[in-house]
Amino acid sequence: MRSTEPRYAPNRISKEERTRLQIAGGLCALGGMLAVTRLFQLQVVQGKELRTLAEQRRMRRRPLLARRGAILDRWNRTLVHTLYKYHLALDPQSVRNPEALYEMVHTYLKMNPEPLAQAIREARAQGRRYLRFAIAVPPHLAEPFLKAYRALPFRDKPAIINKEVIPAREYPFSRLAPQVLGVVQLEEDPEKGSRLVPVGGVEASLNDHLQGVNGIEEGEGAPGGLLIPETVQNRIAPRDGKSVRLTLDIAIQEATEQALETLWQKHRPLGALAVVLDPRTGEILAIANRPTFDPTTRKGLTTMEALRNRATTFLYEPGSTLKPLIMAMALSDSKVRLTSRFTCTGSLPVGKRRIRCVVHGKGRGHGIQSPEEILLNSCNVAMAQIGMRVGLEWLYSALQRLHLLERTGVELPAEWVGWTTPPDKVRWGRDLHAANLAFGQGLYVSPLALAAAYTILANEGLYRRPHILYENAQGETATPVIGATYARAVIAALTRAVEEGTGQNARLQGYWVAGKTGTAQKAIPGKGYVSGKYIASFIGIVPADRPRAVIMVLADEPRNGYYGGEVAAPVFRQIAQFLMWYWKVPPNRAMREERASKRPAYENLPHPGGFG
């Protein structure tokens, strides 16, 4: 008989199971409500904040480096320019194949791996995640290293290595005029980008032209520090600095450096300087300083003295090199005439002091002298007589008109200004002060200002303000200071001083040279004159009949001799000889004339009325 019950009878749910299901359902509902609440909080309440945080994690802000402007010489040859170098860093905790890393470092970067191994061990012990192991690596070393590193599969990379690009300055003509050009220091800023900060020289004085402005780029980051191009949202392009063109001539600068090095090695002075000026334009063609240094390696830059440009940051008593300028001013103002005569007996009492002349080989003074002979003999007594005749007020005015008591305005930083006690501040010993001023004592000038004043003689009475920025030297008008006749008369006297006087070591075969030596006892303001210490100098004009260059050479506390004619004049001759060859200036002084007479009369000199 077939059963009437259903084949699959429903299972009855017990009360206990029903309770469990209700609890589970409640929990699921609660969980759903919590999930919805959390989603609401994340999407609505915190949505904006979280989106911002996510963007910050994805987005990268990368500085775009601006290129600092180049420094060029007068012929647009590069003296300084910018290139990019690399800092290389690694994660010490990621080093898994140190031997391979050391081999790459040695092969490509030419580095000794032992210091790196020690640095990695110390960094790992300290738990550090960043170690810079190579600083300012040049591109020709860094790029092959990075190329070889990128070519390795990820699992074979010896460590995680990153690069940092930094700007740097390169000097194609190393050791040429570093005090004039100046140096730079790297200032690192991860946000704004690294930049070069100038220290001294043209780098500092013309920084507004040379310094560029870094840009920025914002987008999503990619491996290696790059940005995904499609994600770039903001980009401000960098603005490169402008190049500047100087009046320096690389060839003349190199010849000047070599000549000054000869003085430096022979006389071992505390410092030395050589300046070459074009008197027709006021352009500075060369400035060489000692001590010096290599701007690329910074070798020799042990103290700030090596960075010092003595042309503008050194004051000294010019001594006898001031006499031609005072004489020219006195002649032009009719304080002294070409026919005037002065008597030197070897000494001159002024108040409680006595002014003396150094007369080699004589037991008496120079005797009766004309203005030309005063400069030939470098007579202190006669110049003192002129100083007392013209008075303090006139002398002070003359120094102002010679531009010796003001800044020259040259485009170099921190120019020192010449000074002397103003007449209204001199209450006692006015005659003595006037006498001393006339032959270069009691006055402090910068070498560049004094060399620029000699352009008055070379330009027939016209003053040319010195410039080192080429564009500023073009078109500036000359300032009349003295009459052309008197400038020529002083040039004639200085020619005799070279031919017959203390400047004979400056004579140049085939050319007339006008110049004046200076041997001044070193004076320290507030302390007086230092016994046994001198400043030897020579300032010359070549050729004397058609001036093309004013050359000044100065040695501070030289050894193995201290007279200007012995220490500085030979350096002048070496520089002048190069200039005549370099400029292809034809000799105009016949050899037979040189043999016939060592004392050419001024009226027999070629007329200096034009420029070759």
Side-chain angles (χ1 to χ4, degrees), residues 13 30 53 55 67 81 125 140-141 143-144 151 182 201 272 311 326 361 420 431 531 570 585-586 607:
I13 299 176
L30 180 61
L53 291 174
E55 288 180 1
R67 185 178 295 273
H81 68 97
H140 71 276
L141 294 177
E143 289 173 359
I326 296 297
T420 187
D431 282 348
S531 177
V585 178
H607 189 278

Side-chain angles (χ1 to χ4, degrees), residues 227-524:
L227 300 184
I228 302 172
E230 294 78 7
T231 66
V232 173
Q233 297 179 359
N234 184 28
R235 188 178 192 279
I236 300 176
R239 188 170 70 248
D240 291 341
K242 299 177 182 177
S243 297
V244 295
R245 182 182 178 189
L246 304 185
T247 59
L248 297 182
D249 186 309
I250 286 177
I252 299 175
Q253 180 69 39
E254 185 171 5
T256 304
E257 297 276 4
Q258 291 176 357
L260 193 64
E261 182 66 20
T262 303
L263 183 155
W264 179 253
Q265 295 298 331
K266 181 178 180 180
H267 296 285
R268 306 306 302 176
L270 187 65
L273 168 74
V275 178
V276 182
L277 277 173
D278 185 338
R280 303 169 298 176
T281 61
E283 295 173 342
I284 300 173
L285 304 176
I287 297 180
N289 283 272
R290 292 295 182 278
T292 189
F293 65 98
D294 188 328
T296 300
T297 63
R298 305 294 170 96
K299 182 180 180 181
L301 192 57
T302 55
T303 66
M304 293 303 291
E305 191 67 20
L307 192 58
R308 182 182 186 183
N309 182 5
R310 290 175 176 263
T312 55
T313 61
F314 181 71
L315 295 181
Y316 74 109
E317 288 193 349
S320 296
T321 53
L322 184 69
K323 294 173 183 176
L325 299 172
I326 296 297
M327 181 67 76
M329 296 294 291
L331 289 169
S332 185
D333 286 1
S334 299
K335 301 293 184 179
V336 174
R337 299 184 182 277
L338 291 171
T339 56
S340 299
R341 294 296 181 267
F342 298 85
T343 302
C344 171
T345 60
S347 66
L348 176 69
V350 182
K352 296 182 180 181
R353 301 292 181 90
R354 183 172 289 274
I355 293 173
R356 302 181 184 276
C357 267
V358 179
V359 186
H360 298 285
K362 297 183 180 180
R364 50 186 174 78
H366 294 109
I368 300 174
Q369 303 171 98
S370 66
E372 181 177 335
E373 290 167 333
I374 291 173
L375 295 179
L376 168 64
N377 298 321
S378 193
C379 180
N380 288 346
V381 169
M383 289 301 300
Q385 294 173 23
I386 294 174
M388 289 187 291
R389 173 188 293 188
V390 299
L392 266 182
E393 284 75 10
W394 181 90
L395 283 168
Y396 193 81
S397 172
L399 295 174
Q400 288 178 318
R401 285 181 286 162
L402 290 167
H403 302 275
L404 294 176
L405 303 181
E406 64 184 42
R407 286 184 173 84
T408 65
V410 69
E411 302 85 357
L412 290 169
E415 182 182 7
W416 292 9
V417 184
W419 65 273
T420 187
T421 305
D424 59 344
K425 301 296 183 182
V426 181
R427 303 188 183 279
W428 296 278
R430 292 176 66 86
D431 282 348
L432 180 61
H433 191 58
N436 287 338
L437 272 182
F439 60 82
Q441 287 188 352
L443 163 73
Y444 295 88
V445 299
S446 72
L448 182 61
L450 187 61
Y454 267 68
T455 65
I456 298 171
L457 304 178
N459 283 331
E460 297 191 317
L462 301 178
Y463 173 77
R464 284 286 186 180
R465 191 174 296 277
H467 289 285
I468 201 166
L469 185 60
Y470 186 85
E471 63 184 28
N472 287 353
Q474 307 305 306
E476 183 171 315
T477 58
T479 305
V481 178
I482 63 174
T485 300
Y486 305 109
R488 289 196 294 266
V490 172
I491 288 286
L494 296 183
T495 304
R496 285 191 62 187
V498 172
E499 293 295 313
E500 307 170 43
T502 57
Q504 294 187 41
N505 283 333
R507 295 183 67 192
L508 195 60
Q509 183 175 346
Y511 303 91
W512 297 110
V513 173
K516 187 73 189 74
T517 59
T519 307
Q521 190 173 7
K522 193 169 183 180
I524 300 177

Side-chain angles (χ1 to χ4, degrees), residues 121-144:
R121 285 194 294 269
E122 293 177 359
R124 297 186 75 164
Q126 297 169 5
R128 291 160 52 194
R129 302 303 303 266
Y130 178 86
L131 175 65
R132 187 179 284 178
F133 66 91
I135 306 296
V137 183
H140 71 276
L141 294 177
E143 289 173 359

Side-chain angles (χ1 to χ4, degrees), residues 96-97 152-159:
R96 53 177 174 263
N97 190 349
L152 295 174
F154 180 78
R155 61 179 179 276
D156 294 336
K157 293 184 186 298

